[in-house]
Amino acid sequence: MPQMDLEQRCINTLRVLAMDGVQKANSGHPGMPMGMADVAYVLWTRHLRHNPHNPQWHNRDRFVLSAGHGSMLLYSLLHLTGYPIYLEDLKQFRQWDSKTPGHPEREPELGIETTTGPLGQGFANGVGMAIAQKHLAARFNRDGYPIFDHYIYAIVSDGDLMEGISHEAGSLAGHLGLDNLIYFYDDNEISIEGATEITYTEDVPARFRAYGWHVQEIDGHDTQAIDAAIQTAKAEKGKPHLIVCHTHIAFGSPNKQDSEKAHGSPLGEEEIRLTKEALGWTTEEPFFVPDDVIAYYRLCIPKGEQLEAQWRETMTNYEREYPAEAKTCRRIWSGELPAEWDEALPDFRPDSGPMATRSASGKVLNALAAVIPELIGGSADLAPSNNTYLNGLDDLQKDNYAGRNLRFGVREIGMGGILNGLAVYGGLKVYGGTFAVFSDYMRPTARVAAIMNVPVIYVWTHDSIFVGEDGPTHEPVEQTMALRMIPNLTVIRPADANETAAAWKLALENQGPTALLLTRQKLPIMPEIKTKALEGVYRGAYVVRDSSLDRIDLILIATGSEVALALESQELLEQRRIGTRVVSMPCWNRFDEQPLFYKLSVLPNNVIKRLAIEAGTTLGWERYVGSHGAVLGIDRFGASAPYPVLQKEFGFTPENVVHRAMKLMAE
Amino acid sequence: MPQMDLEQRCINTLRVLAMDGVQKANSGHPGMPMGMADVAYVLWTRHLRHNPHNPQWHNRDRFVLSAGHGSMLLYSLLHLTGYPIYLEDLKQFRQWDSKTPGHPEREPELGIETTTGPLGQGFANGVGMAIAQKHLAARFNRDGYPIFDHYIYAIVSDGDLMEGISHEAGSLAGHLGLDNLIYFYDDNEISIEGATEITYTEDVPARFRAYGWHVQEIDGHDTQAIDAAIQTAKAEKGKPHLIVCHTHIAFGSPNKQDSEKAHGSPLGEEEIRLTKEALGWTTEEPFFVPDDVIAYYRLCIPKGEQLEAQWRETMTNYEREYPAEAKTCRRIWSGELPAEWDEALPDFRPDSGPMATRSASGKVLNALAAVIPELIGGSADLAPSNNTYLNGLDDLQKDNYAGRNLRFGVREIGMGGILNGLAVYGGLKVYGGTFAVFSDYMRPTARVAAIMNVPVIYVWTHDSIFVGEDGPTHEPVEQTMALRMIPNLTVIRPADANETAAAWKLALENQGPTALLLTRQKLPIMPEIKTKALEGVYRGAYVVRDSSLDRIDLILIATGSEVALALESQELLEQRRIGTRVVSMPCWNRFDEQPLFYKLSVLPNNVIKRLAIEAGTTLGWERYVGSHGAVLGIDRFGASAPYPVLQKEFGFTPENVVHRAMKLMAE
């Protein structure tokens, strides 16, 4: 069988599996895999450095399918090249509990690097991976020891490039000169509503050149051109690469090629038959893969094993020559923090005066950066406000990838997608900051972090209307509660500096994403909290100061800046002989996970008079205050004024807490 | 006093007011107004067609300060040119209940067109206004009667252009050839963290040319160049305009010009004194405005009155020649819907078979489009899935601005910002669709719509995990509840086709934004709902079918697709002698606004056994089920599988509802 023929059949196998997989599921997107089969074949067999028998080899090239709806392409490639995705799995496409869900879901053991589907996010994830690679290379590579020296490839679609996140991440990638990024743009001129010309006529190559990218345009069905473009990209240093591939969606389908009908629906049995006939394929057996095709793809295994073996040898020598660096590498790859790192956590003294939790966070972060070398991060142009800057450490820039301060620019969702890429890459502990109200911009990426359950830390400061003068557009109201609803996301709103330190400890130990909600305004450092903060934050809620009377008539439950208010109010209430307990509840999901006896020890069933105090939406608090409780919160937008005025106008004063509490007691 | 000198003093007045306003508030952003004073002066005195004595003149030019943090610039311009913002108001900058909050908040009577501050959103709002102007011009202008023929100007900053929304809206503006847009880019090379070169080195002119914009670059302190650039922009047809203005932030400040220190903090008394000295200004009296300066700016009043008078004359003649069109213009400007428009609402018959609420929505929308000529909208490339297309009507494209179908492309947040611009423009009823899970992308713009309380309608379909095969990235879980937390946003999750029709009626009559959450999957059209839907949706919750026994033991509260499940379960429960009431609760905020007697008539205090059923997060439902109730919801991410499998796996079956209900009854 001539080589060219085998090659063509290897490519067509990807088309056939996509058609058949989508048809069997009666759901999915066959057109993209069929159009990008040539590119994928050339990349995966000739360029991608990967070892299907060890999908987690640290120096593998990363492949991101940003156009996640074309998932059958990825599953087929993984199956054909020898990852533990079997033909049976392809037949289970989009079925319950299968390895092959509708969109790729991160599964490092299967070779699925990141969860994609929400368009544009994979694009940004790749930028994060590229930053991670450059950073770790700058920190750990030594002459003759290229421990980190791989590429990040991605397939991106018109949808990815229409999304704003592709602008934010693309612009930053150009700024940083990430030449380890090689992106293939599937320019098939078709989207769900029809031809892209109905809405999308920008000059994409010119746009990316404006970002500082190196751009090539090729026929995406010409394997030689594809190969040459990848080689050119690798040779051209200092810029990220976009290879614009002119393709035909559903290539090979006599009636649906170049039509939006092939975008999001099965081709149909009859059209599949016609397509297979046109491709010279058997129409008898679905999912048919010729033996020589699979054998050819499986050559990736010995090739990959050899590549990894070479790298392991390098690593062995590196360990001999640079034992300290090698040890750090091993440790950060394992995800373990340095021994006794938490001894660096500052202990804040109540008598040192009031401090905003954002300031406390900045102090904690800087203390930890000194002992956790893999801690890197930054802010979306608000570092001085978010207190996210690591003092005395460099910026990460294209002339210094070893810097640990990332300058994200005013690019919140781009930052979110990049943080996800940094986190899935492994080895680094990452954080990113902006104002809490702009967590809304990051929500789509925080959600994917939560789906993947990867440890990204969000430093969201200015966490209530007590932002003050900036007014309602900058004042969170609904954000805290709305974030608590994202499954797997640990949301912490610490009450003072010591709870903030505990929150950072929890965040760094957390397997999943963590959001820190921090104040702009100063808060007292409370002696009642000092010794309890660590266990309290880990348990999610705890008694800060109990009733001084012989009974508990009322529980004040507060979070963040409202805990100090609760303590102040408690004194006034006890003067009125209301036995009052104050509970700080920095982390709802942790509290919900506690054993019942602990929960009841904090919120005893028999105390039904409960007043929650939080400068945010009241909806949701009924969970803890119950049918007989009340909530002092905010169910409207904020306003522009100095924050002490807002405290008074919105009723966040001890007098009003007492008023609300007395009313509740009288009910 | 020579003219040039007066001009320079007019410009410097803007600088002085910004410095003094920020200083007095001890909070704000003086640098941008000082840098853009020359541009603002030229625009407002020589080009902007506006009438300070009638800020709501329909054919005024629109001015958007996308860089909303420079709000003192806008307030100063409004004050100087004669809008009802007085010197006293400038002194109240950023104070409680003032006309001059920290960021501009839409106030048409004051000349504030839109709420800005979250960067990039003003940019997109302007694109929406430009689409509105082009659309209405195409529909209503006649030879010799340019009823709609104005420009939309905006000042945008580096932050605006770093944001993804500027990409989405900018690309679409280029595609649509909106030559009525003239944007000034304040290219001062400074952002909060420092020089923009630390993160933002893209070639902005090349980027915008790639979008199809006409780009000029000028010295932003050269009034002749500014004037010439605006004239060139007006002469160059077929493309939106970006005028890149090279400026110095805090122009005139001896020590803080060109420094990030002037970005977000007052200059300080001493630096203000030095700056005023350098500008030849009195340092004695803060907020000093020379008489001839104010007199010169106030020439805008007679000029504006004359412009409006000319237009009114045109309008009078137009009314004579085109009475029907003129009548429609008057009506849509008033915001009133056509008489008896709601008679067009379809009535869905239970015997016509099951129907997804997204399909019902599509039918309603198409029926209404026929009788509401000002109804326009589209989808973010999901029209066939969102059922948002107006059949038989044209696309809005650059060769046909009269089209009523907008093709937003895969640009959710861009769509959100554009919808806000369309809504604040006035005259149009607007909607935009995408998948409900991607409402997250639109959240930042939905929030601003809610702050402004303007009537945007969101058509968010595929509203639960019952999306099915697409998997967790495409399956909403927390979205519905999280949307309910946005103040002023009316969220409706209708139970069937007739509730959907009622929801559309409410949405179109609503003064503020409305979110419709609609199913992918088919639902029965329920006879129990048919006659109750309208009042039920308006009241937010209602009894769909009461207990058939002589008592109510249990209330099932459900929304959307779960109402049919509740009815099915009710029958099984009543077979077990559990007197069961089923409540549909499509709209929480409406229900919360009902008088207590109504609320108690739906949810009587004495029935404490309540089971809520909603395919989404449980947090929040405690508000209605109380301490003795339970919630059948979803507190994890979804999964990829056909939706009947998911219904079973996640327990959304009558059997499981009965199981949960019996357990609740036994507690």
Side-chain angles (χ1 to χ4, degrees), chain B residues 200-223:
Chain B
Y200 174 62
T201 49
E202 68 186 45
D203 181 344
V204 172
R207 170 185 158 207
F208 276 82
R209 285 191 185 104
Y211 295 152
W213 287 50
H214 172 252
V215 182
Q216 303 174 71
E217 287 194 68
I218 60 167
D219 172 355
H221 301 297
D222 177 342
T223 55

Side-chain angles (χ1 to χ4, degrees), chain B residues 106-297:
Chain B
R106 178 174 186 254
E107 200 58 78
E109 293 174 16
L110 300 181
I112 299 170
E113 302 284 358
T114 184
T115 294
T116 52
L119 289 169
Q121 292 206 30
F123 183 112
N125 296 166
V127 175
M129 296 176 193
I131 292 172
Q133 190 273 324
K134 287 284 185 189
H135 177 74
L136 292 168
R139 302 267 302 267
F140 291 101
N141 286 2
R142 294 291 181 273
D143 266 357
Y145 298 101
I147 305 303
F148 297 90
D149 77 336
H150 63 84
Y151 289 94
I152 293 89
Y153 297 98
I155 291 179
V156 305
S157 62
D158 45 67
D160 290 297
L161 300 191
M162 281 191 257
E163 288 284 356
I165 190 173
S166 73
H167 162 62
E168 298 185 10
S171 176
L172 187 56
H175 171 77
L176 292 174
L178 301 172
D179 56 14
N180 52 347
L181 268 189
I182 301 178
Y183 280 10
F184 302 90
Y185 166 34
D186 177 21
D187 189 8
N188 60 27
E189 300 179 20
I190 293 294
S191 67
I192 289 175
E193 292 191 13
T196 53
E197 67 181 14
I198 63 173
T199 187
Y200 174 62
T201 49
E202 68 186 45
D203 181 344
V204 172
R207 170 185 158 207
F208 276 82
R209 285 191 185 104
Y211 295 152
W213 287 50
H214 172 252
V215 182
Q216 303 174 71
E217 287 194 68
I218 60 167
D219 172 355
H221 301 297
D222 177 342
T223 55
Q224 286 193 326
I226 298 162
D227 190 65
I230 299 173
Q231 291 190 30
T232 301
K234 288 179 175 172
E236 181 80 25
K237 299 295 178 194
K239 293 175 170 190
H241 304 277
L242 186 72
I243 302 174
V244 179
C245 306
H246 296 286
T247 61
H248 298 280
I249 195 168
F251 184 94
S253 160
N255 301 302
K256 296 199 174 172
Q257 178 175 314
D258 297 323
S259 162
E260 68 272 20
K261 294 194 186 93
H263 195 297
S265 313
L267 294 186
E269 296 289 0
E270 175 59 12
E271 186 64 17
I272 288 179
R273 195 180 60 74
L274 294 172
T275 309
K276 285 184 180 173
E277 279 175 10
L279 297 175
W281 217 260
T282 174
T283 58
E284 297 301 302
E285 188 189 340
F287 296 94
F288 176 73
V289 180
D291 288 343
D292 58 345
V293 163
I294 196 116
Y296 185 74
Y297 272 111

Side-chain angles (χ1 to χ4, degrees), chain A residues 469-471 640, chain B residues 68-72 75 93-94 100-105:
Chain A
E469 290 87 346
D470 273 346
S640 173
Chain B
H69 54 276
S71 53
M72 267 306 294
Y75 302 142
F93 182 51
R94 296 186 155 226
T100 51
H103 291 81
E105 297 177 23

Side-chain angles (χ1 to χ4, degrees), chain A residues 325-339:
Chain A
E325 288 81 350
K327 200 176 156 198
T328 304
C329 267
R330 296 274 176 215
R331 182 182 62 71
I332 68 174
W333 279 331
S334 77
E336 252 180 63
L337 288 161

Side-chain angles (χ1 to χ4, degrees), chain A residues 258-324:
Chain A
D258 297 321
S259 161
E260 68 272 20
K261 293 194 186 95
H263 195 298
S265 314
L267 294 186
E269 297 289 0
E270 176 59 12
E271 186 65 16
I272 289 179
R273 195 181 59 74
L274 294 174
T275 309
K276 286 184 180 173
E277 278 175 10
L279 298 174
W281 217 260
T282 172
T283 58
E284 296 300 303
E285 187 190 340
F287 296 93
F288 175 72
V289 180
D291 287 342
D292 59 345
V293 163
I294 196 115
Y296 186 75
Y297 273 111
R298 292 283 158 92
L299 292 177
C300 288
I301 299 172
K303 220 167 77 183
E305 288 188 321
Q306 197 192 346
L307 286 168
E308 183 176 345
Q310 283 165 358
W311 178 85
R312 285 194 182 278
E313 199 184 315
T314 306
M315 195 67 205
T316 304
N317 295 330
Y318 179 78
E319 277 185 300
R320 200 172 310 122
E321 195 152 354
Y322 301 100

Side-chain angles (χ1 to χ4, degrees), chain B residues 244-474:
Chain B
V244 179
C245 306
H246 296 286
T247 61
H248 298 280
I249 195 168
F251 184 94
S253 160
N255 301 302
K256 296 199 174 172
Q257 178 175 314
D258 297 323
S259 162
E260 68 272 20
K261 294 194 186 93
H263 195 297
S265 313
L267 294 186
E269 296 289 0
E270 175 59 12
E271 186 64 17
I272 288 179
R273 195 180 60 74
L274 294 172
T275 309
K276 285 184 180 173
E277 279 175 10
L279 297 175
W281 217 260
T282 174
T283 58
E284 297 301 302
E285 188 189 340
F287 296 94
F288 176 73
V289 180
D291 288 343
D292 58 345
V293 163
I294 196 116
Y296 185 74
Y297 272 111
R298 292 283 158 91
L299 293 177
C300 288
I301 298 170
K303 221 167 76 182
E305 288 187 321
Q306 198 191 346
L307 286 168
E308 182 175 346
Q310 283 166 357
W311 178 84
R312 285 195 183 279
E313 199 184 314
T314 306
M315 194 66 205
T316 305
N317 295 330
Y318 179 78
E319 276 184 300
R320 201 172 310 121
E321 195 152 354
Y322 302 100
E325 287 83 349
K327 200 176 156 199
T328 303
C329 267
R330 297 272 176 215
R331 182 183 60 73
I332 68 172
W333 281 330
S334 78
E336 252 180 63
L337 288 161
E340 293 161 7
W341 66 278
D342 51 349
E343 289 183 5
L345 284 166
D347 204 15
F348 294 98
R349 287 172 40 191
D351 59 8
S352 61
M355 184 184 289
T357 51
R358 64 172 167 141
S359 305
S361 170
K363 287 180 198 299
V364 172
L365 190 51
N366 272 280
L368 294 178
V371 295
I372 306 176
E374 66 269 34
L375 183 63
I376 75 168
S379 162
D381 194 41
L382 289 169
S385 298
N386 301 144
N387 298 69
T388 45
Y389 204 76
L390 304 179
N391 302 314
L393 297 179
D394 290 338
D395 282 9
L396 188 152
Q397 294 287 359
K398 74 172 147 187
D399 56 4
N400 182 13
Y401 289 121
R404 291 168 59 189
N405 283 299
L406 285 159
R407 300 288 199 173
F408 286 107
V410 187
R411 302 178 178 114
E412 295 86 6
I413 192 168
M415 174 168 72
I418 290 169
L419 288 170
N420 286 354
L422 287 162
V424 301
Y425 188 90
L428 296 169
K429 300 285 176 190
V430 299
Y431 65 90
T434 185
F435 287 154
V437 78
F438 300 141
S439 65
D440 279 356
Y441 283 84
M442 300 179 68
R443 226 176 137 84
T445 55
R447 186 174 208 261
V448 174
I451 290 176
M452 298 194 289
N453 206 30
V454 293
V456 173
I457 302 173
Y458 305 108
V459 183
W460 286 327
T461 71
H462 298 61
D463 73 338
S464 74
I465 64 162
F466 303 132
V467 163
E469 290 87 346
D470 273 346
T473 55
H474 285 56

